[in-house]
Amino acid sequence: MRLGRIASPDGVAFVSVEGDGADAVCKEIAEHPFGNPNFTGRSWPLADVRLLAPILASKVICMGKNYEAHAAEMGGVAPEDPVIFLKPNTAIIGPNVPIQLPADAHPVHHEGELAIVIGRPCKDVPAARAAENILGYTIANDISARDQQAKDGQWMRAKGHDTFCPVGPWIVNDLDPSDLEIRTEVNGEVRQLSRTSLMIHDIGAIVEWVSAVMTLLPGDLILTGTPEGVGPIEDGDTVSVTVEGIGTLTNPVVRKQK
């Protein structure tokens, strides 16, 4: 099932997106998509609604340097243990919403990633039971202001600006995440091309590590790290991240004025 969140003429709703192309339909889910969703009976053609970020997370947890080749391109080696950091939930935007580059940040990079969506409250989850606590998977783009990251010595400002966490277009809840192609394009040019099988720490290990630190709540996002090929985005660009089995998340890029 593809679980989404839409703005329709009737308001904002969680939906199941069924069908493809011109025949795609959004069927409204009552209240929330967790557990066994109940449907209201209302529906809209996908073409008549606007896709929003598919979930409103209480927190966004990110994995740093979870692909060997990306760690190398950043001038280092991958740490033995996972490295995690947070983005504020105010950084989240949905498909087709502009990524706003700070006026004085150069360069700002894209980082296409597979994202885990937590399905129920959980703490201290063993890796073998991670799937029981996952609602599904979506796509994220961990936008990063590299000059601020280097200057500050920590990553919160560089990765926490409003619009620096595009997410979408929906959540897929029947997906095997172990070996999916992940591709990032800027203006149609392929920048990143890899597979989730090359993660250093897999989905189970990630959920175990993060949940040992903090309680996870329904809707929380865990970004699983980016592969090699990160690079700059500029005013006027269009960034698209595609994950096999999910779809494509596309956002234009604009630069804020001083």
Side-chain angles (χ1 to χ4, degrees):
M1 183 183 295
R2 292 178 294 177
L3 301 170
R5 198 167 62 94
I6 63 164
S8 77
D10 300 309
V12 173
F14 286 107
V15 296
S16 171
V17 182
E18 301 183 8
D20 296 297
D23 297 325
V25 173
C26 299
K27 296 185 177 181
E28 185 179 38
I29 295 171
E31 298 180 349
H32 60 73
F34 304 105
N36 296 315
N38 295 314
F39 292 89
T40 67
R42 296 202 302 177
S43 65
W44 304 268
L46 179 59
D48 292 347
V49 302
R50 178 166 59 92
L51 285 169
L52 306 173
I55 204 71
L56 295 175
S58 73
K59 53 187 173 290
V60 182
I61 307 104
C62 305
M63 295 286 297
K65 299 181 179 179
N66 198 29
Y67 288 78
E68 293 277 5
H70 173 59
E73 77 176 351
M74 298 303 290
V77 296
E80 181 177 349
D81 291 329
V83 172
I84 59 175
F85 59 94
L86 293 171
K87 281 180 177 277
N89 58 11
T90 48
I92 296 172
I93 57 173
N96 303 311
V97 176
I99 298 164
Q100 298 182 33
L101 309 181
D104 57 352
H106 300 276
V108 177
H109 282 187
H110 60 79
E111 295 190 12
E113 310 196 12
L114 174 71
I116 301 165
V117 184
I118 296 299
R120 64 186 188 184
C122 59
K123 181 74 170 73
D124 297 321
V125 178
R129 300 189 64 179
E132 300 172 23
N133 298 280
I134 294 173
L135 174 65
Y137 300 89
T138 188
I139 304 169
N141 194 347
D142 174 20
I143 307 300
S144 306
R146 296 299 187 205
D147 57 337
Q148 295 178 0
Q149 189 175 358
K151 180 179 180 180
D152 294 352
Q154 51 84 20
W155 302 352
M156 190 67 185
R157 178 169 70 119
K159 292 171 173 282
H161 289 276
D162 289 355
T163 77
F164 270 29
C165 189
V167 179
W170 37 61
I171 300 161
V172 176
N173 66 357
D174 54 356
L175 186 69
D176 179 353
S178 61
D179 186 26
L180 304 174
E181 182 182 278
I182 180 168
R183 182 175 72 251
T184 303
E185 300 179 5
V186 178
N187 303 327
E189 173 192 357
V190 177
R191 294 272 189 89
Q192 296 180 276
L193 183 61
S194 189
R195 302 195 70 85
T196 58
S197 55
L198 296 175
M199 288 182 190
I200 299 167
H201 307 287
D202 65 13
I203 300 300
I206 291 169
V207 173
E208 180 176 67
W209 182 270
V210 174
S211 68
V213 177
M214 66 190 77
T215 298
L216 298 172
L217 301 176
D220 281 351
L221 290 167
I222 306 178
L223 278 55
T224 60
T226 196
E228 74 277 13
V230 300
I233 51 176
E234 301 289 351
D235 183 50
D237 286 345
T238 299
V239 185
S240 295
V241 183
T242 301
V243 175
E244 181 182 358
I246 299 178
T248 300
L249 168 66
T250 297
N251 297 89
V253 180
V254 300
R255 185 168 294 277
K256 295 168 65 177
Q257 300 299 311
K258 289 185 178 180

